[in-house]
Amino acid sequence: MIVRLLSGVAKRLLAAVVVMVGAATLAFGALHLIPGDQVSILLGPNSAASPEVRAQIRSDYGFDRPLVVQYAQYLSNVVRGRLGESYQQNQPVSALIGGQVWPTLQLAAAALGLALVIAAVSAVATAGRRPAWRSLASAWELVAVSTPAFWTGLLLLTAFSFQLHVFPVAGAQDLRSLVLPALALALSLAGVLGQVLREGLETALRQPFATTARARGLSQLAVTTRHAFRHAAVPLLTLAGWLTGTLVGGVVAVETVFGRPGIGALILLAVSTKDMPVVMGIVLLCGLIFVVTSLLVDLLAVVVDPRLRAEAVAV
Amino acid sequence: MTTTEDDGRRTRPAPRPHPDAGADQDQRLVVDGLEVSFGQRGRQVHAVRGVSFTIDPGRTLALVGESGSGKSVTARTIIGLAGDRANVTARDLSFGGQDLTALSPAQWRAVRGGRIALILQDALVSLDPLRTVRAEIAETLRTHRTVPRAQIDERVHSLLAEVGIPDPHRRARQRPHELSGGLRQRALIASAIAAGPRLLIADEPTTALDVTVQVQVLDLLGRLTDAGSSLLLISHDLAVVARLADEIAVMYAGLIVERGTPGQVLDEPHHPYTRALIDAVPSLHARGTRLSTTAATGSDLDLAGPGCPYAARCRLADDRCRTLRPALAEAGPGHQVACWHPVSADAPLVLLPPAPRRPAGSDVIAAGEAAAISEAVAVSGTVRGDSPRALAGPGPAEPARAGRDESDVLLRVDGLGKRFRAPDGTWHEAARDVTFALPAGRTLGLVGESGSGKTTTARMVLGALEPDEGTVWFAGQRWNGQGVAEKSRRPHRRRVQAVYQDPLGSFDPRFTVERLVAEAVAVAGVPRGPARRARVVDLLDTVGLSARLLDRRPLELSGGQRQRVALARAIAPEPDLLVCDEPVSALDVSIQAQILDLLADLQAGFGLAVLFISHDLGVIRHVSDRVLVMKDGRTVEAGEAEQVLTAPAHDYTRTLLASAGIRP
Ligand SMILES: Nc1ncnc2c1ncn2[C@@H]1O[C@H](COP(=O)(O)OP(=O)(O)OP(=O)(O)O)[C@@H](O)[C@H]1O
Ligand code: SF4
Ligand SMILES: [Mg+2]
């Protein structure tokens, strides 16, 4: 049993490594696939560097060596945590990302948490209830899903910051400044999550064990939260994990709208100035987030549904 | 009220003296004029129509009747769980003087589990699969504050011990799927009785269990009533009912049509429907005779008419029956029958030849099956001109069978073996050296208790499980065995189809009947569009379902209807081999009979070979040409059905026969 457990864990770790190597390769590929001379990109469009200087840079950065060697060098650097220097900002990439990543993670986590809470409340309140309530909830979820986060953000800003002055317009000084951006991101997530959760709850509520629980004297709400919720939680978690991966796009937009510091501004700057080391670093970061959330989701799923334990070990 | 028969019925003392009328009043269930209907897409389903009965403390009332007759709806109404869409009215619906039609949600919560408890069929799905047995039982204790918080664990263990679960400490920590069927059902009962309810409602409590385990669970329920609880027992199994009931009420189409003691109802049935129900028990019939009285199921009938609801199926029906509904009337002391022409008790039991096809336009009988229907209704010789005739010769399926070439082997199973790792790390041999051959168009019955390796064998035959040893040959090809790839099976997959005990598990609950069957039709290569729809309707017709069911969902069908849908799906790709794993075990006898007859018709019509798995020897005997008896993964006996079942060579076969009530 313990051997199988360990081999299960080993398989998962191996998968994580594969994903990270994939992300690194993708980043490396991106660097070498964009058209143009590496050195010109590095120096930027307005540089007047002499050919000698350019040759010097070329050999310093190793651009003149064979691609395979560059690739191997890059991987070994990544493993040792060296992501290189930014072309534009004369700072190590790791320091740049490290300096900006916290507000973004804060925002993403707050948005995800808020989305889960909204989804849970609306699904639990309406699952198995009167059709009128359900269609109302479904309608709002549909609207929420199809509204882009930046648009929601602008609306929220107009209403709560410009008109009512309840929340600050920009910045990331305190928790108050987190509320609106997190809400803007959370609403569309909550729409999808709420729909999946309600469906899961209703499937569970139709099972005989739900009838048994009601026959024991539990209220409909108690059956939903104590029994059905766990059954609906596994698909919900899987989806939430998957959505985390797609959150980056929304984050960039929302950070821009609300003028928040974070990876968003860094990404925009790096992409527009072709600051390749930074772009590559961010690709790696996304890979890391993906790996961590899927591990987390798998772990939580096993906690929620003990029947998965055997399977988790076997996979 | 006393039955002294020696066939397993419990001998009960004559009506118990009740200590005093006050205590009696305290816990008597009164149901008077109960009506339940469901508003369904503009069409009302009148599921219960004026049902009345009372249950005194310590007594057991059994509700029997075919699928869809309203038994479960009656039971759920009493505990207030008939659903949002149910409209309930009653002249009186009360328990211990408390009016159950006027309870607030909070009052209902106190009644449910506290004074009235409900036990459903299969505990694998009736207990929350994600929670431990302890959590489920503790929930009842906590909800009703039965014992102080600190004593909950202790009480859980003592309850488990009370219902006869060995090693309660270990079992309490396990989840339902880690327990055997019998233990699970006991755990479910423990969770139901935890708060000391005075009335137990058991809806098919033993249907999913083996015969031997059934007996134990029934004894447990019997002990609970001996301790003073009342029991409303719902079952399709007349043997179960006979064992426990003080009184039996037979339901048909939402009405009680006959009521009395087990002696009266089972030995001297007066209502033609009761008579047909008793006649439908398969073990009383030899192979080839038809069991069902008609193909139409209760919920398919148009029952809103003014006459007797059974008139459409009744051989004795006359004009009065069709225009005036008979009320329950005394047929003896404590014996009531709702029928204008009650069958007299001593009338001989006679089987009639097939009824003529009903006129077109009457949707009482599904057309596909009508031709093959023979009515097996008992007829009293004293009734009108209908002179009793004996059923001549074998059923319609027989001649084709006799003429088939024996050497035409479709399925050959050669030395199959499969081992599984038990949770404690030891190896468990689920099948060992299983060998048999099945010619095209024939039926092989595989019988044995649960855990004897029947399903493992079936899964290897289906190619769903790779054997450790041995080979399955299908149509002359290596079909399954070490190293046979799924890819090589795929072109022939459609030729082997399966039907399981509970089709609910394999149906997506959100799909309509049309979509479920259309899925299978699509696999058979019928293009989308009117052709596919026509084929779906055609298939439903073949299995005796009306096209009106097309947009129903699985949960809105009765058990028999669901199994018909499963059969329609199975025959859609026109297979050569049908593997049926306990296909009728969850159904009540009359529906069981219809499904078995349908299977015989399909087999005759399509030349299907059938591998039929069941723990019920009566059923096996009825359908099989050959029988294979399995025990602990091994074949203990095999041979021609009649020979194995009339002259068993192995002790185990004899034990099985004895516990099924069949004497060789
Ligand atoms: N929630 C519901 N909505 C609509 N119709 C329903 C509902 N529940 C039950 N019915 C209908 O009520 C009738 C009686 O059903 P019920 O479940 O009581 O039958 P039953 O006697 O218990 O049958 P079985 O032996 O198959 O369990 C059936 O026609 C069924 O289709
Ligand atoms: S004889 Fe008439 S009343 Fe009696 S069951 Fe048949 S149809 Fe109904
Ligand atoms: Mg039922």
Side-chain angles (χ1 to χ4, degrees), chain B residues 38 40 45 47 66-73 85 204 299 552 556 558-559 588:
Chain B
F38 296 93
Q40 202 184 42
V45 175
E66 67 188 12
S67 194
S69 56
K71 308 180 300 283
S72 298
V73 172
R85 294 189 297 156
E204 311 266 6
S299 47
R552 293 263 193 108
E556 295 163 355
S558 72
D588 59 61

Side-chain angles (χ1 to χ4, degrees), chain A residues 128 199 206 208-209 211-219 226-227 230-231 304-307, chain B residues 81 109 112-113 118 125-131 136 139-140 143-144 175 177 191 510 555:
Chain A
E199 185 124 332
R206 278 195 295 262
F209 68 77
T211 310
T212 308
R214 294 224 57 196
R216 251 175 227 148
L218 259 58
S219 64
R226 280 194 229 160
H227 292 267
R230 256 179 103 173
H231 289 257
V304 171
D305 188 345
R307 290 173 303 179
Chain B
L81 291 176
R109 293 204 290 277
R112 290 187 198 127
L118 177 68
V125 284
S126 299
L127 287 171
D128 190 337
L130 296 185
R131 310 216 310 165
E136 290 285 275
E139 191 166 77
T140 313
T143 306
H144 297 281
R175 295 190 169 75
H177 70 273
S191 87
R510 291 165 305 179
L555 285 157

